[in-house]
Amino acid sequence: MASLFMNTLKATLPHVSKDLFPRYNNLNKSKAFLPITKKHFSPTPRRSSSSVSSLTPQLDQTLLDYQEDDRPLSEIWKEIQGFNDWEGLLDPMNSHLRKEIIRYGEFAQACYDSFDFDPHSKYCGACKYQGGHFFDKLDMQGHGYKISRYLYATSNINLPYFFQKSKLNSVWSVHANWMGYVAVTTDEGEIKRLGRRDIIIAWRGTVTYLEWIYDLKDFLCSANFTNDPSIKIESGFYDLYTKKENSCKYCSFSAREQVLAEIKRLLDYYRGEEISITITGHSLGAALAILSAYDIAEMRLNYMDHEESKNRIPITVYSFAGPRVGNLKFKERCEELGVKVLRVINVHDKVPTVPGIFANEKFQYQKYVEETMSFPWSYAHVGVELALDHTQSPFLKPTNDLGCAHNQEVHLHLVDGYHGKGRRFCLATKRDIALVNKSCDFLRSEYGVPPHWRQDENKGLVRNREGRWVVPERPRVEAHPEDTAHHLEQVLKIASSSQVEAI
């Protein structure tokens, strides 16, 4: 069956410093660290080229039936975060929801824009920027968030096209890759606008195209986060999330342990406040987003002092172009735990169709096959789907490149223009169309935007005192905060006591 899956898939897809992170002293509850601009949505358009942006209004922007939601986001944030599974907000598309999808999508895109995937760099596989300057370097200063910590995973698993390694002998790490970050709102103006303090986890996806799908082991393994062995996850995602390498300081804690410890620390620090946990990612990062959301909920970290569910901290996932993660039991357990997932997909993208080509949530007898026959290749998508179609955008050209259909910036462009099924494509936030071609070639030629245009100035080289062009040394990055083990221990105590209560 596994070989049949691979043959079917291949027929479908072409080959193609210690002061770095703010800790207790820096994550103030009082006044803001970061200035917040009056324009609260999508900071990315400040990167726009005026000559390109001026082309955007050539499309008729009038929509007689389109109205802005004039309610403050702070009053309806739970609804926007999926409290009612986004009922009535997707068709027609609610203006607050659109801006929030794009905003969280840009947090996911930041993982790509900051990742060093140059095999000729000794920092290949690392983040380009220090945590204290992360958002400034990406021209995302106005959003009101601060990096809390970076996340790492060991590359010693069977996903070779996902991990990036340097060709040089002297490298920053032999075993680790940078996977994303945890950030938290620290600006009082943004907290007021959102109606709560938001903790975000952003996961990096793949910098290569779709080759990593070929390396999915295509079999399920028990999640082992609970006593129920019937809840299963694709083994490649599970390994990526849970494996560690004791000989590597960056991977001495697994990605899972890093996430759980940091979430516990932040929730303890901001105890008593209105808080949300939002997780985002694109492609394989979307799989990690759903997996980590489930894990946080299963470990009951979002229950404050084991209080009733009415005081449960909401967990929301904004997933972009993500594959299926686990079996039907996994999907059902996520729903029981109250994890809210909004999956943004392009109907022409192949990644959301795998794994589970033969037995998935669309199969009428999946529950019977999974439970009675113990079918080992049964997968189900979690959450609510927002299906977009890139052929509806008049800015995009026809292409056979499936990488364009999978691209994150393309998804954000489609969200900006989507107003509901059967409604005309119309850019609502005027997000710069030049961003579409940041890492692909999808815009029509008349817009004059070169493909794959985003790169570091001089490809990161600087001239030293001797006049030579060199790769500059980067400040030493803290692997794990000293209190990681302490907070992880607290997490395990919570989980143990919850399991005893369940028994």
Side-chain angles (χ1 to χ4, degrees):
M1 182 63 73
S3 61
L4 180 59
F5 161 76
M6 292 308 304
N7 291 334
T8 304
L9 182 61
K10 289 180 180 179
T12 309
L13 301 177
H15 285 286
V16 225
S17 80
K18 290 189 177 181
D19 60 348
L20 170 59
F21 305 104
R23 306 298 294 171
Y24 291 103
N25 294 332
N26 293 337
L27 289 176
N28 291 330
K29 294 186 180 182
S30 58
K31 285 298 178 181
F33 278 72
L34 302 174
I36 185 73
T37 62
K38 292 182 179 179
K39 188 179 280 188
H40 292 297
F41 61 86
S42 185
T44 307
R46 288 197 295 275
R47 298 178 229 165
S48 304
S49 164
S50 58
S51 61
V52 173
S53 299
S54 64
L55 295 173
T56 301
Q58 290 182 3
L59 182 67
D60 180 12
Q61 295 292 326
T62 59
L63 275 176
L64 298 179
D65 58 350
Y66 172 66
Q67 291 183 342
E68 288 279 334
D69 188 337
D70 57 4
R71 296 173 296 174
L73 176 60
S74 59
E75 294 182 3
I76 60 170
W77 71 266
K78 289 186 178 180
E79 185 180 351
I80 297 299
Q81 288 289 96
F83 186 78
N84 295 318
D85 295 314
W86 295 282
E87 183 176 353
L89 298 178
L90 295 172
D91 192 6
M93 172 66 77
N94 177 273
S95 58
H96 281 305
L97 179 57
R98 172 187 287 103
K99 292 171 185 177
E100 288 300 278
I101 295 173
I102 292 175
R103 191 171 68 90
Y104 285 112
E106 288 174 343
F107 282 119
Q109 177 65 40
C111 292
Y112 290 121
D113 294 342
S114 60
F115 184 64
D116 191 338
F117 55 89
D118 182 1
H120 302 290
S121 168
K122 69 178 181 179
Y123 299 108
C124 182
C127 180
K128 297 177 184 177
Y129 312 122
Q130 289 281 76
H133 306 288
F134 183 85
F135 293 121
D136 292 342
K137 291 291 187 179
L138 296 172
D139 198 17
M140 297 174 65
Q141 303 93 331
H143 54 70
Y145 286 71
K146 199 78 172 179
I147 294 289
S148 173
R149 70 158 296 154
Y150 282 164
L151 303 172
Y152 300 90
T154 177
S155 58
N156 297 338
I157 62 174
N158 188 33
L159 280 174
Y161 284 105
F162 176 67
F163 289 101
Q164 303 297 304
K165 293 187 176 182
S166 176
K167 295 181 179 180
L168 305 179
N169 292 326
S170 177
V171 296
W172 73 284
S173 175
V174 176
H175 302 287
N177 258 207
W178 182 80
M179 294 298 302
Y181 58 89
V182 181
V184 61
T185 41
T186 56
D187 182 273
E188 293 298 329
E190 182 69 351
I191 293 170
K192 182 178 180 180
R193 186 186 76 86
L194 295 175
R196 82 281 184 188
R197 189 182 297 275
D198 186 39
I199 298 171
I200 184 172
I201 305 171
W203 291 102
R204 177 177 68 81
T206 56
V207 293
T208 57
Y209 169 40
L210 303 179
E211 296 95 329
W212 61 272
I213 298 180
Y214 296 129
D215 295 297
L216 292 182
K217 298 176 183 178
D218 190 32
F219 65 82
L220 294 153
C221 65
S222 294
N224 296 322
F225 303 159
T226 178
N227 292 327
D228 187 352
S230 66
I231 300 173
K232 296 184 178 182
I233 299 166
E234 196 281 324
S235 57
F237 303 153
Y238 179 80
D239 287 349
L240 178 59
Y241 186 58
T242 62
K243 296 297 183 183
K244 54 186 176 181
E245 174 57 56
N246 292 329
S247 64
C248 174
K249 66 178 182 178
Y250 295 100
C251 301
S252 57
F253 293 98
S254 67
R256 180 196 184 206
E257 292 171 336
Q258 295 167 49
V259 167
L260 294 179
E262 187 63 10
I263 294 300
K264 181 66 171 70
R265 185 188 76 81
L266 291 173
L267 293 181
D268 284 348
Y269 188 62
Y270 293 115
R271 184 175 298 275
E273 295 188 23
E274 191 85 31
I275 298 175
S276 63
I277 299 174
T278 311
I279 313 177
T280 187
H282 170 262
S283 190
L284 196 149
L288 291 172
I290 293 176
L291 179 52
S292 54
Y294 158 71
D295 190 16
I296 292 168
E298 189 71 88
M299 301 296 283
R300 297 177 66 87
L301 284 187
N302 61 325
Y303 281 77
M304 303 308 292
D305 299 320
H306 304 283
E307 296 171 355
E308 297 297 325
S309 59
K310 64 180 180 179
N311 296 317
R312 183 173 59 190
I313 295 172
I315 301 175
T316 303
V317 177
Y318 289 95
S319 158
F320 298 87
R324 297 185 180 95
V325 178
N327 64 354
L328 183 60
K329 287 285 290 185
F330 174 77
K331 164 188 163 64
E332 293 172 344
R333 183 56 177 162
C334 285
E335 293 171 349
E336 290 175 6
L337 293 169
V339 175
K340 302 300 182 180
V341 180
L342 182 59
R343 297 186 300 103
V344 182
I345 69 162
N346 180 355
V347 296
H348 302 283
D349 182 17
K350 300 301 180 181
V351 172
T353 68
V354 297
I357 291 179
F358 305 107
N360 55 57
E361 70 284 349
K362 298 177 182 178
F363 179 44
Q364 182 179 358
Y365 303 105
Q366 183 183 22
K367 193 174 185 68
Y368 172 81
V369 166
E370 185 171 305
E371 294 182 354
T372 306
M373 301 176 60
S374 300
F375 190 70
W377 298 287
S378 174
Y379 290 84
H381 270 308
V382 180
V384 177
E385 180 178 274
L386 173 58
L388 308 173
D389 184 346
H390 71 241
T391 64
Q392 300 301 307
S393 170
F395 298 101
L396 306 180
K397 64 184 180 183
T399 180
N400 293 321
D401 183 355
L402 293 179
C404 291
H406 185 61
N407 185 274
Q408 171 70 345
E409 286 288 359
V410 172
H411 281 73
L412 301 185
H413 168 71
L414 297 180
V415 171
D416 193 9
Y418 177 80
H419 293 269
K421 295 178 181 179
R423 289 177 169 83
R424 187 169 71 253
F425 188 96
C426 171
L427 298 179
T429 72
K430 309 298 188 295
R431 195 168 190 272
D432 196 342
I433 61 171
L435 295 169
V436 169
N437 269 12
K438 181 190 289 184
S439 58
C440 69
D441 183 8
F442 208 179
L443 282 176
R444 292 183 178 275
S445 60
E446 56 261 36
Y447 293 109
V449 181
H452 304 273
W453 55 260
R454 191 185 191 280
Q455 60 180 311
D456 294 330
E457 184 179 6
N458 299 319
K459 294 189 174 181
L461 293 180
V462 299
R463 181 171 286 176
N464 64 14
R465 294 177 179 179
E466 289 75 34
R468 298 179 183 274
W469 288 94
V470 298
V471 176
E473 294 292 331
R474 295 179 187 170
R476 195 169 189 82
V477 177
E478 179 186 38
H480 304 293
E482 295 179 357
D483 55 5
T484 299
H486 165 73
H487 291 291
L488 183 60
E489 182 181 358
Q490 301 305 309
V491 171
L492 298 178
K493 286 182 179 180
I494 293 174
S496 298
S497 62
S498 298
Q499 291 175 4
V500 170
E501 291 174 5
I503 294 173

